[in-house]
Amino acid sequence: MLKKILLKIQKLEQQKQNKINKKAEIQAEIDDIDINLKKLYSFKKDYEKLINNSSNFLNSIGGKTA
């Protein structure tokens, strides 16, 4: 009986460790995605700012914007 309990404990501990490892891998993937998202949002913000500044400049010198 004790042997069965010990085997069950060992099996569950292995399952737990596998889940912890998978969780760490997924978290690393999420972190990478977050880094890329931050870069893209920053790029988008800079691009929109550039477009806005370009339009303002062209309007201030009497040019037409598309």
Side-chain angles (χ1 to χ4, degrees), residues 6-7 12 14 16 21 23-24 31-32 34 42 55 61:
L6 292 174
L7 287 173
L12 290 174
Q14 287 175 345
K16 178 182 173 183
N21 292 343
K23 180 181 174 184
D31 292 345
D32 288 343
D34 282 340
S42 178
S55 295
I61 62 171

Side-chain angles (χ1 to χ4, degrees), residues 25-61:
E25 289 174 12
I26 291 170
Q27 188 61 54
E29 290 177 22
I30 291 170
D31 292 345
D32 288 343
I33 290 169
D34 282 340
I35 289 168
N36 287 332
L37 280 171
K38 286 179 185 178
K39 288 178 184 178
L40 287 169
Y41 278 122
S42 178
F43 180 71
K44 178 183 173 272
K45 183 179 176 181
D46 290 344
Y47 179 78
E48 289 171 343
K49 188 176 179 181
L50 177 64
I51 293 297
N52 188 38
N53 288 341
S54 298
S55 295
N56 289 342
F57 174 74
L58 292 174
N59 286 336
S60 73
I61 62 171

Side-chain angles (χ1 to χ4, degrees), residues 5-19:
I5 294 171
L6 292 174
L7 287 173
K8 185 67 174 176
I9 289 171
Q10 183 180 16
K11 181 179 177 183
L12 290 174
E13 287 291 344
Q14 287 175 345
Q15 288 177 355
K16 178 182 173 183
Q17 189 60 47
N18 287 341
K19 299 290 183 182

